[in-house]
Amino acid sequence: HLREVKEDNAVNEAVQQVAFADRIVLNKLDLVNAEELTALKEEIGSINHTATLIETTRSVVDLSKILNQSAFSLDHCVDIDPEFLDAQESDEECTDENCTEEHDHKHEHAHDTPGAEKKKRKKKHDLSQVSSVGFKFPGNFDVPKFNMFMSTLLQAKAADLYRSKGILSFEGQGTTKFVFQGVHETINFGPAAKPWGDDEERVSKIVFIGRNLNREELKAGLEKCLA
């Protein structure tokens, strides 16, 4: 169902459910091989990298993993996968005219270097244009500029911006670490349970999940919000 193409460029409901999810149960794993499971997890991850995947067979699930999770609590906003952000920041667009590998995404090449390992590339969900994009910004954001950016973004793309979450450092706010997460235009924002540590680098981390997201445009807009 994730690959089903809807008429008139409508949103695939299965993809939309994955995009909104905090936890996804992968059932009947006894019916697929390891390669198929890996491909499925990569595809889900390209849509929603922040969701927790729970693997099972015959629908046997530890209920403590899916009930009473307080998923919309701001305390969970600090749980942003650093490897995902690092990969997003380090991806470079392929410009090799001799490349025969089919892709629409950015990746590193190793085919010109004997014995080099090829970096696993992330797949974009080409049929629905739904994806996760993440950013890291050292330093502090300017409060008015950031608020204006988010307000403008939500007004323009609320329907296509399914989820958002982040950890923020603001100029003039001392050691207070701010966190936010949202669904469409509804944003929950406030101070984190723990402040920035004395030796902790001030790096804001932001993830957007949505449809037809322009990574470069979002990055440029956020960079203008830095103090």
Side-chain angles (χ1 to χ4, degrees):
H1 295 296
L2 289 178
R3 295 187 175 276
E4 181 180 357
V5 179
K6 298 292 184 176
E7 295 182 358
D8 300 323
N9 200 34
V11 177
N12 180 322
E13 292 86 354
V15 173
Q16 196 171 47
Q17 289 178 10
V18 169
F20 280 117
D22 290 295
R23 282 161 180 76
I24 300 173
V25 177
L26 303 180
N27 190 33
K28 299 184 178 180
L29 296 190
D30 54 319
L31 302 182
V32 299
N33 58 40
E35 183 176 333
E36 291 170 328
L37 176 59
T38 297
L40 174 61
K41 291 166 71 173
E42 287 182 354
E43 185 164 21
I44 291 174
S46 73
I47 301 169
N48 182 349
H49 192 84
T50 67
T52 299
L53 302 184
I54 301 171
E55 302 177 18
T56 184
T57 58
R58 299 182 182 274
S59 301
V60 178
V61 178
D62 181 352
L63 294 182
S64 66
K65 294 182 178 180
I66 58 176
L67 299 179
N68 301 318
Q69 296 297 308
S70 301
F72 207 63
S73 169
L74 287 177
D75 293 337
H76 293 294
C77 291
V78 297
D79 301 327
I80 297 179
D81 183 0
E83 292 186 2
F84 166 66
L85 295 177
D86 289 342
Q88 290 258 311
E89 291 295 315
S90 64
D91 275 348
E92 295 181 356
E93 187 169 6
C94 173
T95 58
D96 186 349
E97 296 180 354
N98 297 318
C99 178
T100 59
E101 185 176 2
E102 294 183 2
H103 59 84
D104 293 301
H105 248 308
K106 304 171 182 179
H107 64 280
E108 287 183 5
H109 282 285
H111 40 268
D112 292 329
T113 305
E117 289 187 9
K118 184 179 297 184
K119 179 181 177 182
K120 183 185 291 184
R121 57 191 172 86
K122 294 179 292 300
K123 299 177 181 179
K124 182 175 181 179
H125 201 269
D126 297 319
L127 301 182
S128 66
Q129 293 82 49
V130 175
S131 63
S132 302
V133 294
F135 306 94
K136 295 194 300 183
F137 296 97
N140 297 321
F141 280 113
D142 178 86
V143 175
K145 290 180 180 179
F146 183 82
N147 288 341
M148 179 60 69
F149 170 82
M150 289 299 297
S151 177
T152 302
L153 176 64
L154 293 173
Q155 288 179 9
K157 291 190 67 69
D160 289 336
L161 191 60
Y162 299 155
R163 299 287 303 272
S164 57
K165 67 186 298 186
I167 307 166
L168 305 170
S169 178
F170 285 118
E171 186 76 9
Q173 297 300 313
T175 61
T176 303
K177 179 185 294 184
F178 290 90
V179 290
F180 79 93
Q181 67 173 330
V183 176
H184 289 308
E185 69 272 23
T186 302
I187 300 291
N188 191 11
F189 175 89
K194 295 182 180 180
W196 293 101
D198 293 338
D199 299 326
E200 185 178 6
E201 184 181 6
R202 299 291 185 93
V203 178
S204 296
K205 303 174 183 179
I206 301 172
V207 175
F208 295 114
I209 301 172
R211 192 179 189 205
N212 297 317
L213 298 180
N214 186 320
R215 174 179 170 77
E216 295 306 318
E217 186 177 285
L218 290 170
K219 182 178 181 180
L222 287 166
E223 286 177 338
K224 293 178 181 179
C225 299
L226 292 171

Coordinates of all heavy atoms in Angstrom, one line a residue, residues 135-138 140-150 152 170-171 206 215-227:
F135 N 18.0 18.9 10.3 CA 19.0 19.9 10.2 C 19.7 20.0 11.6 O 19.1 19.8 12.6 CB 18.4 21.3 9.9 CG 17.6 21.3 8.6 CD1 16.2 21.1 8.7 CD2 18.2 21.5 7.4 CE1 15.5 21.1 7.5 CE2 17.5 21.5 6.2 CZ 16.1 21.3 6.3
K136 N 21.0 20.5 11.5 CA 21.7 20.9 12.7 C 22.3 22.3 12.5 O 22.8 22.6 11.5 CB 22.9 19.9 13.0 CG 22.4 18.5 13.3 CD 23.6 17.7 13.9 CE 24.8 17.6 13.0 NZ 25.9 16.8 13.5
F137 N 22.1 23.1 13.6 CA 22.6 24.5 13.5 C 23.4 24.9 14.7 O 22.8 25.1 15.8 CB 21.4 25.5 13.3 CG 20.6 25.3 12.0 CD1 19.5 24.5 12.0 CD2 21.1 25.8 10.8 CE1 18.8 24.4 10.8 CE2 20.4 25.7 9.7 CZ 19.2 24.9 9.6
P138 N 24.7 24.9 14.6 CA 25.5 25.4 15.8 C 25.1 26.9 16.1 O 24.8 27.6 15.2 CB 26.9 25.2 15.3 CG 26.8 24.3 14.2 CD 25.5 24.5 13.5
N140 N 23.1 30.1 18.2 CA 21.7 30.4 18.8 C 20.8 31.0 17.7 O 21.3 31.7 16.7 CB 21.9 31.5 19.9 CG 22.6 31.0 21.1 OD1 22.5 29.8 21.4 ND2 23.4 31.8 21.7
F141 N 19.6 30.7 17.8 CA 18.5 31.3 16.9 C 18.1 32.6 17.6 O 18.1 32.8 18.8 CB 17.3 30.4 16.8 CG 17.5 29.3 15.8 CD1 17.5 28.0 16.1 CD2 17.6 29.6 14.4 CE1 17.7 27.0 15.2 CE2 17.8 28.6 13.5 CZ 17.8 27.3 13.9
D142 N 17.7 33.6 16.7 CA 17.0 34.8 17.2 C 15.5 34.5 17.3 O 14.9 34.0 16.4 CB 17.3 35.9 16.1 CG 16.6 37.2 16.5 OD1 17.2 38.0 17.2 OD2 15.4 37.4 16.0
V143 N 15.0 34.8 18.5 CA 13.6 34.4 18.8 C 12.6 35.0 17.8 O 11.8 34.3 17.3 CB 13.3 34.8 20.3 CG1 11.8 34.5 20.5 CG2 14.2 34.1 21.3
P144 N 12.6 36.3 17.6 CA 11.6 36.9 16.7 C 11.7 36.3 15.3 O 10.7 36.0 14.6 CB 11.9 38.4 16.7 CG 12.6 38.6 18.0 CD 13.4 37.4 18.2
K145 N 13.0 36.2 14.8 CA 13.2 35.6 13.4 C 12.7 34.2 13.3 O 12.1 33.8 12.3 CB 14.7 35.7 13.0 CG 15.2 37.1 12.8 CD 16.7 37.1 12.5 CE 17.2 38.5 12.2 NZ 18.6 38.5 11.9
F146 N 13.0 33.4 14.3 CA 12.6 32.0 14.3 C 11.0 31.9 14.3 O 10.4 31.1 13.6 CB 13.2 31.2 15.4 CG 12.8 29.7 15.4 CD1 13.6 28.9 14.6 CD2 11.8 29.2 16.2 CE1 13.2 27.5 14.5 CE2 11.5 27.9 16.1 CZ 12.2 27.0 15.3
N147 N 10.4 32.7 15.2 CA 9.0 32.6 15.3 C 8.3 33.1 14.0 O 7.3 32.5 13.6 CB 8.5 33.6 16.4 CG 8.8 33.0 17.8 OD1 9.0 31.8 17.9 ND2 8.8 33.8 18.8
M148 N 8.9 34.1 13.4 CA 8.3 34.5 12.1 C 8.5 33.5 11.0 O 7.6 33.2 10.2 CB 9.0 35.8 11.6 CG 8.5 36.4 10.3 SD 6.7 36.8 10.3 CE 6.7 38.2 11.5
F149 N 9.7 32.8 11.0 CA 9.9 31.7 10.0 C 8.9 30.6 10.2 O 8.3 30.2 9.2 CB 11.3 31.2 10.2 CG 11.5 29.9 9.3 CD1 11.8 30.0 8.0 CD2 11.4 28.7 9.9 CE1 12.0 28.9 7.2 CE2 11.6 27.5 9.2 CZ 11.9 27.6 7.8
M150 N 8.7 30.1 11.4 CA 7.8 29.1 11.6 C 6.3 29.5 11.3 O 5.5 28.7 10.8 CB 7.9 28.6 13.1 CG 9.1 27.8 13.4 SD 9.4 26.3 12.4 CE 7.9 25.3 13.0
T152 N 5.3 31.7 9.1 CA 5.2 31.8 7.7 C 5.1 30.4 7.1 O 4.3 30.1 6.2 CB 6.4 32.6 7.1 OG1 6.4 33.9 7.7 CG2 6.2 32.7 5.6
F170 N 18.3 29.5 22.0 CA 18.0 30.9 21.6 C 18.9 31.9 22.2 O 19.3 31.8 23.4 CB 16.5 31.2 22.0 CG 15.5 30.6 21.2 CD1 14.6 29.7 21.7 CD2 15.4 30.9 19.8 CE1 13.6 29.1 20.9 CE2 14.4 30.4 19.0 CZ 13.5 29.5 19.6
E171 N 19.2 33.0 21.5 CA 20.0 34.1 22.0 C 19.3 34.8 23.1 O 18.1 35.0 23.1 CB 20.3 35.1 20.8 CG 21.2 36.2 21.2 CD 22.7 35.7 21.2 OE1 22.9 34.6 20.7 OE2 23.5 36.5 21.6
I206 N 16.6 20.1 14.2 CA 15.2 20.2 13.8 C 14.9 19.1 12.7 O 15.7 18.9 11.8 CB 14.9 21.6 13.2 CG1 15.2 22.7 14.2 CG2 13.5 21.7 12.6 CD1 15.2 24.1 13.6
R215 N 14.3 20.8 0.9 CA 15.3 20.8 2.0 C 16.2 22.1 1.9 O 16.4 22.7 2.9 CB 16.3 19.6 1.8 CG 17.4 19.6 2.8 CD 18.3 18.4 2.7 NE 19.5 18.6 3.5 CZ 19.6 18.6 4.8 NH1 18.5 18.3 5.5 NH2 20.7 18.8 5.4
E216 N 16.6 22.5 0.7 CA 17.5 23.6 0.6 C 16.8 24.9 1.0 O 17.3 25.8 1.6 CB 18.0 23.7 -0.9 CG 18.9 22.6 -1.3 CD 20.1 22.4 -0.3 OE1 20.7 23.4 0.1 OE2 20.4 21.2 0.1
E217 N 15.5 25.0 0.6 CA 14.7 26.2 0.9 C 14.5 26.3 2.4 O 14.6 27.4 3.0 CB 13.4 26.1 0.2 CG 12.5 27.3 0.4 CD 11.2 27.2 -0.4 OE1 11.3 27.3 -1.7 OE2 10.1 26.9 0.2
L218 N 14.2 25.2 3.1 CA 14.0 25.2 4.5 C 15.3 25.5 5.2 O 15.4 26.3 6.2 CB 13.6 23.8 5.0 CG 12.1 23.4 4.6 CD1 11.9 21.9 4.9 CD2 11.1 24.3 5.4
K219 N 16.5 25.0 4.8 CA 17.7 25.2 5.4 C 18.1 26.7 5.3 O 18.6 27.3 6.2 CB 18.8 24.4 4.7 CG 20.2 24.6 5.4 CD 21.2 23.7 4.7 CE 22.6 23.8 5.4 NZ 23.6 23.0 4.7
A220 N 17.9 27.3 4.1 CA 18.2 28.7 3.9 C 17.4 29.6 4.8 O 17.9 30.6 5.3 CB 18.0 29.1 2.4
G221 N 16.1 29.2 4.9 CA 15.2 30.0 5.8 C 15.6 30.0 7.2 O 15.6 31.0 7.9
L222 N 16.0 28.8 7.7 CA 16.4 28.6 9.1 C 17.8 29.3 9.3 O 18.0 29.9 10.4 CB 16.5 27.1 9.4 CG 15.2 26.4 9.6 CD1 15.3 24.9 9.6 CD2 14.5 26.9 10.9
E223 N 18.7 29.3 8.4 CA 20.0 29.9 8.5 C 19.8 31.4 8.7 O 20.6 32.1 9.5 CB 20.9 29.7 7.3 CG 21.4 28.2 7.3 CD 22.2 27.9 6.1 OE1 22.1 28.6 5.1 OE2 23.1 27.0 6.2
K224 N 18.8 32.0 8.1 CA 18.5 33.4 8.3 C 18.0 33.8 9.7 O 18.0 35.0 10.0 CB 17.5 33.9 7.2 CG 18.0 33.9 5.8 CD 17.0 34.3 4.8 CE 17.5 34.2 3.3 NZ 16.4 34.6 2.4
C225 N 17.6 32.8 10.4 CA 17.0 33.0 11.7 C 18.1 33.0 12.8 O 17.9 33.2 14.0 CB 16.0 31.9 12.1 SG 14.6 31.9 11.0
L226 N 19.4 32.6 12.4 CA 20.4 32.5 13.4 C 20.8 33.9 13.9 O 20.8 34.9 13.1 CB 21.7 31.8 12.8 CG 21.5 30.4 12.5 CD1 22.7 29.8 11.7 CD2 21.3 29.6 13.8
A227 N 21.2 34.0 15.2 CA 21.5 35.3 15.7 C 22.9 35.8 15.3 O 23.7 35.0 14.9 CB 21.5 35.2 17.3

